[in-house]
Amino acid sequence: MALRAAAARLASSSLRRRHGHLLPAAASASHTAFLHSHATSFGFKQVREDEKSKLVGNVFSSVASSYDVMNDLMSAGLHRLWKDRLVSGAQSITPYGDSLFLPDSSDFFSRLISKLNPFPGMKHLDVAGGTGDVAFRVVERIKSVSHRATQGTLTDMEEDTHIYVCDINPNMLEVGKKRAAEKGYNEEQCLSWVQGDAEALSFEDGSMDGYTIAFGIRNVTHIEKALSEAYRVLKKGGRFLCLELSHVDVPVFKDIYDIYSFSVIPAVGELVAGDRQSYQYLVESIRRFPKQEKFAQMIQEAGFEAVEYENLVGGVVAIHSGVKL
Amino acid sequence: RTMRRTTALLLRHGGGGIPQALADVLVCPLSKKPLRYCEASGSLVSDAVGMSFPIVDGIPCLLPKDGKLLEDHQRESGHETSSRDSSD
């Protein structure tokens, strides 16, 4: 009851405060070479393509250090506001009815990892995952898989296991390296950190058994390029997995989600990280990203087969997957 | 396959170069061709495009835009590597 009143208050104020800037692209006057389009989206602003990566870089350098804190806070906040029950291993849900099942971010990653099906000896590439969220989970999963198989003795296969973490932002990579050291992974030497561009990967053709990109692809300037690069580096039979914030079409829930996104998140970003703008960008970039079906189509166009997606939390998050055959 | 092992040898220097796991898979982000480790500069050289990429804090920085054009003396291929190949 109180929640509905609060939501109503937020709704009226958010409509006043929210400004969508759609500046016309600074098109023909410039002599900078563009690729397909003259402009790309940076949240709700239209910017020149060459500017986008710089702007994104600034956003992530800014949020890198408080990234984990913000995520924990936002999911803890979600838990307190919404949740009746913790769901482990998120499934597709519909929020109809009285209760809203809301898994936290670690459940999204768990779901991603179980779809990946990691195995000992695999070469895995995680893109845009500088802080190590996905990489560490892959390592742990492989260790538990091989433990059960070999009763604890280190096999050759396990030693061949290698996870490559590629991120465009060096600050994120530093955070990841530090966390790896704290967890003692550096002893095992199965993690490598590389600064690189998802659109121009520095990995050999057909070198990877798996490719993941979690909460990163919406920041890429040319999504098609990132997808074709993913296809190139994967081996035959290799699996592509993308975890990303996506689109909610469910009535009522969609409106609540919009209010939460545009009013609460930037405000919390201001409070916790001292950076409202970066979180405003975050929220806007989610809305600009292609819808689930469209993105699935793009993945197919890159050459992948058996392309499918799974909505989590009514579409707040989606996992798209495909296989290189 | 022997081509790839040679590439890995060019990158791996038993001490100075980069770990084998990276040497096995890293290529130039622009040409997708093999890279060569330059001991003098501690960087990864792509002869195919005539550029070098730095390694900072053990992290190879392979953004296309951060590649530096090679100086003339860096263009000699195999010069710094040939003497150490046998140690691998």
Side-chain angles (χ1 to χ4, degrees):
Chain A
M1 212 57 65
L3 198 60
R4 216 180 303 146
R9 274 202 305 276
L10 278 173
S12 53
S13 62
S14 84
L15 283 173
R16 278 197 299 273
R17 262 183 293 147
R18 176 166 142 201
H19 19 267
H21 338 262
L22 269 174
L23 309 169
S28 38
S30 166
H31 43 260
T32 314
F34 299 141
L35 215 57
H36 312 290
S37 60
H38 286 257
T40 183
S41 69
F42 180 76
F44 286 150
K45 295 193 181 109
Q46 290 291 100
V47 299
R48 287 211 327 262
E49 285 183 349
D50 52 342
E51 282 178 26
K52 171 160 183 176
S53 50
K54 190 153 51 100
L55 289 168
V56 170
N58 292 343
V59 167
F60 277 88
S61 295
S62 165
V63 307
S65 54
S66 49
Y67 187 72
D68 291 336
V69 175
M70 265 304 283
N71 285 345
D72 288 340
L73 195 75
M74 289 206 290
S75 63
L78 283 173
H79 286 183
R80 278 194 285 277
L81 280 175
W82 302 103
K83 215 162 38 150
D84 303 82
R85 257 192 354 234
L86 178 69
V87 177
S88 62
Q91 308 127 28
S92 290
I93 58 141
T94 54
Y96 296 109
D98 294 325
S99 53
L100 191 65
F101 304 118
L102 214 79
D104 68 26
S105 60
S106 68
D107 298 311
F108 304 142
F109 289 123
S110 303
R111 190 84 189 115
L112 182 74
I113 302 306
S114 58
K115 281 181 173 243
L116 178 66
N117 246 319
F119 59 89
M122 90 180 296
K123 304 275 183 273
H124 182 76
L125 174 61
D126 181 49
V127 175
T131 54
D133 280 328
V134 172
F136 300 149
R137 282 178 168 83
V138 175
V139 172
E140 284 306 313
R141 183 65 164 243
I142 292 175
K143 276 162 72 173
S144 72
V145 165
S146 61
H147 245 255
R148 272 178 286 158
T150 65
Q151 281 104 29
T153 33
L154 199 75
T155 62
D156 286 340
M157 284 294 261
E158 202 175 291
E159 286 180 345
D160 280 341
T161 303
H162 211 88
I163 287 92
Y164 302 87
V165 183
C166 174
D167 201 303
I168 203 168
N169 190 294
N171 298 341
M172 300 288 264
L173 288 166
E174 285 299 330
V175 171
K177 261 185 97 175
K178 230 182 293 173
R179 287 174 62 194
E182 284 162 17
K183 291 174 187 278
Y185 287 138
N186 291 338
E187 312 296 309
E188 307 179 30
Q189 314 229 305
C190 60
L191 284 162
S192 292
W193 310 85
V194 176
Q195 186 187 17
D197 188 340
E199 297 186 29
L201 292 173
S202 58
F203 299 95
E204 203 179 17
D205 297 9
S207 56
M208 300 293 163
D209 296 292
Y211 174 112
T212 47
I213 183 164
F215 302 123
I217 202 158
R218 73 175 184 282
N219 299 311
V220 163
T221 312
H222 305 103
I223 295 172
E224 295 90 343
K225 274 171 122 192
L227 292 173
S228 72
E229 276 292 274
Y231 189 83
R232 179 184 68 76
V233 302
L234 279 167
K235 296 180 190 173
K236 260 177 143 32
R239 195 165 296 199
F240 166 87
L241 282 156
C242 174
L243 172 68
E244 189 53 84
L245 294 158
S246 198
H247 293 263
V248 175
D249 276 330
V250 181
V252 178
F253 181 54
K254 177 180 176 15
D255 300 318
I256 297 172
Y257 179 53
D258 283 347
I259 293 166
Y260 180 77
S261 299
F262 289 102
S263 300
V264 176
I265 291 181
V268 175
E270 180 62 48
L271 274 166
V272 170
D275 185 355
R276 162 179 280 274
Q277 265 202 326
S278 294
Y279 287 89
Q280 185 76 30
Y281 159 76
L282 176 88
V283 169
E284 291 173 355
S285 70
I286 296 167
R287 295 301 185 285
R288 294 291 290 213
F289 189 73
K291 290 199 163 186
Q292 283 86 325
E293 287 292 338
K294 173 75 176 131
F295 186 50
Q297 197 191 325
M298 291 167 78
I299 295 169
Q300 251 184 324
E301 283 163 10
F304 290 101
E305 309 202 28
V307 177
E308 52 183 41
Y309 68 88
E310 179 183 348
N311 276 341
L312 308 177
V313 193
V316 173
V317 168
I319 298 178
H320 281 74
S321 61
V323 182
K324 174 174 178 173
L325 292 178
Chain B
R1 282 289 153 258
T2 35
M3 178 96 137
R4 192 143 80 83
R5 228 174 291 132
T6 312
T7 308
L9 282 173
L10 287 174
L11 283 175
R12 176 90 166 112
H13 258 276
I18 58 169
Q20 194 63 47
L22 277 176
D24 282 344
V25 295
L26 281 186
V27 294
C28 166
L30 292 159
S31 66
K32 315 303 184 191
K33 294 219 166 76
L35 291 165
R36 165 168 69 82
Y37 178 69
C38 169
E39 231 180 314
S41 57
S43 65
L44 294 164
V45 172
S46 168
D47 289 313
V49 298
M51 287 169 84
S52 77
F53 299 90
I55 300 176
V56 178
D57 280 339
I59 298 178
C61 300
L62 292 158
L63 294 179
K65 67 176 178 70
D66 289 339
K68 284 206 295 278
L69 286 173
L70 289 177
E71 310 283 310
D72 281 334
H73 69 265
Q74 283 179 295
R75 283 180 193 277
E76 336 181 61
S77 58
H79 184 76
E80 297 102 0
T81 62
S82 52
S83 55
R84 299 281 289 273
D85 273 2
S86 51
S87 67
D88 286 328

